[in-house]
Amino acid sequence: MVWKYALGLALMLGVAVPAIASPATYDERPAKLTNPNDFRDFDRRVVEIAMRDGVKLHTVILVPKGAKGAAMLLTRTPYNAEDQTSYGHSPHLASRIDGYDSAPDVVIGGGYIRVVQDVRGKYGSGGTYVMNRPFVGTSLNPTKVDHATDTYDTIEWLVKHVPESNGRVGILGISYDGFTALAALVNPHPALKVAVPMNPMVDGWRGDDWFHNGAYRQYNDDYVWEQVGTKDNSDHFETPNADVYDMFMRAGSAGALASAHGLDQIGFWQKLKAHQAYDSFWQEQAMDRILARAPLTVPTMLVHSLWDQEDIYGSPAVWRALKPADKAGNLYMSIGPWYHGQEIERADMLGPIRWDADTAKWWRMHVLAPFLAHFLYDKPMDVATVTAFQSGTNEWQRLPGWPTAPATTKLYLHADRSLGMAPSDSAARIDYVSDPATPVTFLPRPNKLVGYENNPWKTWLTTDQRPVSGRPDVLTFTGPMLDHAVTIAGMPIVHLTASTSGTDSDWVVKLIDVYPDEVATDPAMGGYQLAVGMDIFRGRYRQSLSKAEPITPDTPLAYEFALPQANHVFLPGHRIMVQIQSSWFPLYDRNPQTFVPSVMDAKPADYVKATQKVSVGGADGTYIDLPVVQ
């Protein structure tokens, strides 16, 4: 036998022979691997913090070595605390937190203790998961715990068990984590000294993730599946088409697609389907309404992105709700030229639009860092109540409030497809045919869902609108070349008068900055159509947001709705443009243009062509109220 020969040879040569392991112990891994961590400049602690109902929440604490009297920065997330605190392989804290929700330059520069916690029901935490868990005391939450109580209990534990801290806590986060940062302001813990909700989810019906003025954002179906379906997002939403335009079209209605893809088993999807109007379900959990019930006691900086493709409604809505009663001066706001969450990334560009500097880094160093340090370390700060980036001039502004101008300057649509600050004397109606079989796309095809590599989702709000401006089902109105700058700072209000041959309709209105035909310094921008603000309104909610009603066909009716906040200068040589259309697909589900009780359950026969007529000129002509700075 070969092994006997080898053993004999080893004995003759005097070589030590290790004991032959048994099959049960034949393993080269240690029973427990210990990392010496000698190279680390931080201490990583993982704890399970018990909440008042006994549920334990998985929490990662990163403490800089040698820290003493350090403040803590907390983020509560459904997006995996382990991933957010284990970036890369470096032993240096600055590299390990270079991920979602973290601004390493601010965290490291401030010497903060970084704390990231999985919300209940997600990843390492126990308990059940409910999307944007409603608050205790509402009809939507039968338990005695919510994000406010969980934050309170977490902070209570942290100030008692992290000896390196100074007993002060700040909370910050983006998107869902921005929502949890807002939730912390409801009955806040005394040790919570500052909050920075960035791009927070505030009202899922009015204009954040799920609906925009009643139109369902079906592009989020994959998020609903992955976020709610499993604890660790391990089961992925499968798309049978490389171009999801085809997937949504072939399915028909949003409800049919959801059923075909298994979403009917997801509790949150059932709620979306059951609450297509702005009923008590949405009103009871709108964060601006909740926070307005009590004075703000924690210094808070809301962070808003002018081209936020996911939560463009939230921060300004909270500002409007809270600032009038903010006698103590606790509420601040920052407005940046960013997509959703870009304030913690590099931000010298947004799509093809150049800002001439890294706007996010400037904001973090000159606004975020001193703001946090002031309330967590008593350091002096010089931060304005509102810090706003003005696109067009590409300059930061220090403002005492927001908006800086009322929306009272009327921009009128004219029958010759022009625009003007004065109405035309003659009234007219300009028509187009909206066909659900050939909907207007929000991006040129092919369309891909949000998570795919190289997807333009982040920057789609700044994409050139020329691909649709010449479609026969898109009305385009263009103003004269400007000989002077026109500055707007606030929320444009659409006053649309229109009729439809159908009994339901969607209306999409876009306010656009048209660049000069040639731009010498950037030839690619010649003639570019940059949307400054655009949104959709589902016509069935014209009379009441909380109750759907059919539209009287072939009757001019008034529609009023807001476009997102803008802080923009239309420069000399540019033109102002307005576009109107009746679909925005596949971002939003198609309106069948026949009134049915549930748009999500529309049948193929319900989808019909409709002739849309927009009224211009005269007493009832369509116009947009602009917040022009005089």
Side-chain angles (χ1 to χ4, degrees):
M1 298 291 289
V2 173
W3 70 270
K4 289 183 178 180
Y5 170 78
L7 178 60
L9 181 61
L11 290 172
M12 286 193 322
L13 296 175
V15 177
V17 180
I20 298 177
S22 68
T25 60
Y26 187 63
D27 191 346
E28 294 182 345
R29 297 174 299 179
K32 182 179 180 180
L33 181 66
T34 301
N35 191 326
N37 295 331
D38 292 340
F39 303 105
R40 281 188 181 176
D41 59 9
F42 66 97
D43 180 30
R44 188 174 192 273
R45 304 167 192 170
V46 179
V47 295
E48 312 300 323
I49 301 178
M51 301 293 102
R52 63 190 63 186
D53 63 346
V55 169
K56 294 182 178 180
L57 302 188
H58 187 72
T59 310
V60 181
I61 305 170
L62 305 176
V63 183
K65 277 191 176 178
K68 185 178 181 181
M72 293 180 278
L73 287 180
L74 168 66
T75 294
R76 303 189 63 255
T77 182
Y79 301 130
N80 196 347
E82 288 291 332
D83 274 3
Q84 291 192 34
T85 56
S86 304
Y87 186 87
H89 306 287
S90 172
H92 302 297
L93 182 57
S95 298
R96 296 298 285 272
I97 61 172
D98 189 12
Y100 186 84
D101 265 343
S102 293
D105 43 12
V106 174
V107 175
I108 303 305
Y112 294 105
I113 297 169
R114 186 74 173 111
V115 184
V116 185
Q117 180 183 74
D118 290 324
V119 300
R120 58 175 61 222
K122 290 301 294 183
Y123 290 92
S125 288
T128 60
Y129 180 71
V130 177
M131 180 73 73
N132 300 104
R133 183 181 294 268
F135 287 84
V136 171
T138 67
S139 63
L140 306 174
N141 186 344
T143 74
K144 295 183 179 180
V145 294
D146 55 29
H147 286 296
T149 66
D150 285 351
T151 307
Y152 191 103
D153 295 348
T154 298
I155 294 176
E156 180 75 6
W157 188 95
L158 289 172
V159 296
K160 291 179 179 178
H161 295 88
V162 183
E164 297 89 349
S165 82
N166 64 1
R168 298 186 187 186
V169 178
I171 190 167
L172 76 169
I174 297 168
S175 194
Y176 200 121
D177 303 356
F179 158 72
T180 59
L182 286 176
L185 302 175
V186 178
N187 301 318
H189 192 283
L192 182 64
K193 301 302 182 182
V194 66
V196 184
M198 297 181 273
N199 312 112
M201 302 166 76
V202 170
D203 190 319
W205 195 93
R206 294 298 302 272
D208 287 332
D209 290 89
W210 316 118
F211 293 85
H212 271 228
N213 297 314
Y216 175 57
R217 182 168 274 198
Q218 60 185 2
Y219 234 53
N220 280 333
D221 283 356
D222 61 331
Y223 177 87
V224 173
W225 173 268
E226 295 178 4
Q227 182 68 16
V228 187
T230 58
K231 187 175 183 179
D232 60 355
N233 291 40
S234 58
D235 199 315
H236 299 299
F237 188 85
E238 296 180 354
T239 55
N241 305 91
D243 184 351
V244 297
Y245 175 99
D246 293 323
M247 179 185 76
F248 284 109
M249 283 296 291
R250 292 171 187 173
S253 68
L257 184 140
S259 295
H261 284 260
L263 279 167
D264 287 338
Q265 52 192 313
I266 306 293
F268 183 62
W269 160 253
Q270 294 291 353
K271 293 176 181 176
L272 290 173
K273 189 174 180 180
H275 300 283
Q276 296 178 49
Y278 194 57
D279 57 16
S280 59
F281 173 79
W282 296 110
Q283 295 178 33
E284 283 190 32
Q285 56 184 311
M287 286 303 303
D288 54 337
R289 293 176 176 233
I290 291 168
L291 291 170
R293 294 171 188 162
L296 181 67
T297 58
V298 177
T300 299
M301 177 180 288
L302 299 165
V303 181
H304 175 64
S305 296
L306 290 166
W307 284 274
D308 188 326
Q309 78 282 7
E310 295 179 21
D311 294 306
I312 202 167
Y313 180 84
S315 287
V318 175
W319 173 268
R320 290 193 302 272
L322 300 189
K323 194 58 183 176
D326 179 35
K327 306 304 181 185
N330 283 321
L331 189 61
Y332 298 72
M333 185 163 65
S334 291
I335 302 172
W338 307 313
Y339 57 69
H340 188 73
Q342 195 184 9
E343 58 267 33
I344 64 166
E345 302 176 15
R346 181 170 178 170
D348 55 340
M349 296 181 66
L350 183 60
I353 314 301
R354 301 176 186 273
W355 304 128
D356 306 324
D358 187 342
T359 61
K361 184 175 182 179
W362 183 94
W363 174 78
R364 291 195 304 271
M365 295 298 97
H366 293 87
V367 182
L368 178 61
F371 184 77
L372 292 172
H374 179 69
F375 295 106
L376 294 174
Y377 290 127
D378 296 322
K379 293 185 178 182
M381 75 167 186
D382 182 19
V383 174
T385 302
V386 175
T387 304
F389 187 88
Q390 185 182 71
S391 52
T393 61
N394 296 352
E395 295 177 348
W396 283 102
Q397 300 171 303
R398 294 168 53 89
L399 304 173
W402 183 263
T404 60
T408 55
T409 301
K410 292 176 171 51
L411 178 68
Y412 292 94
L413 278 59
H414 294 164
D416 61 356
R417 307 292 183 96
S418 67
L419 295 171
M421 297 302 181
S424 59
D425 295 330
S426 58
R429 298 176 69 193
I430 304 177
D431 65 84
Y432 63 96
V433 175
S434 171
D435 186 355
T438 57
V440 182
T441 58
F442 80 108
L443 276 175
R445 296 176 62 182
N447 300 141
K448 295 185 178 182
L449 290 183
V450 176
Y452 285 71
E453 187 177 358
N454 298 322
N455 190 285
W457 171 252
K458 287 184 177 181
T459 59
W460 82 265
L461 283 173
T462 60
T463 53
D464 196 344
Q465 296 302 303
R466 278 179 293 189
V468 301
S469 64
R471 285 183 57 135
D473 52 357
V474 177
L475 295 185
T476 299
F477 300 82
T478 308
M481 182 180 296
L482 296 172
D483 58 7
H484 64 281
V486 176
T487 301
I488 60 174
M491 186 166 59
I493 307 296
V494 173
H495 298 267
L496 170 71
T497 302
S499 68
T500 176
S501 62
T503 50
D504 198 3
S505 179
D506 286 349
W507 303 103
V508 178
V509 177
K510 308 172 186 175
L511 178 64
I512 295 169
D513 183 346
V514 182
Y515 281 58
D517 293 340
E518 292 186 18
V519 178
T521 57
D522 192 355
M525 295 302 295
Y528 198 89
Q529 295 180 9
L530 169 66
V532 175
M534 49 186 176
D535 218 335
I536 186 171
F537 186 89
R538 184 143 286 177
R540 59 175 45 211
Y541 301 112
R542 185 185 74 87
Q543 297 275 54
S544 170
L545 299 182
S546 61
K547 183 182 178 182
E549 296 182 14
I551 297 173
T552 303
D554 298 315
T555 303
L557 298 171
Y559 300 85
E560 180 180 322
F561 59 97
L563 299 182
Q565 303 284 333
N567 192 34
H568 184 74
V569 178
F570 296 90
L571 296 171
H574 290 229
R575 300 173 187 265
I576 300 175
M577 175 182 285
V578 171
Q579 291 179 3
I580 300 175
Q581 60 199 55
S582 291
S583 53
W584 225 5
F585 188 79
L587 177 63
Y588 296 99
D589 63 335
R590 294 176 302 153
N591 192 314
Q593 304 182 153
T594 300
F595 183 85
V596 291
S598 167
V599 173
M600 291 184 182
D601 293 317
K603 301 296 185 287
D606 297 325
Y607 292 88
V608 298
K609 292 182 181 180
T611 299
Q612 319 287 67
K613 295 182 179 181
V614 175
S615 299
V616 297
D620 298 320
T622 297
Y623 64 93
I624 299 177
D625 268 329
L626 295 179
V628 173
V629 178
Q630 302 296 341

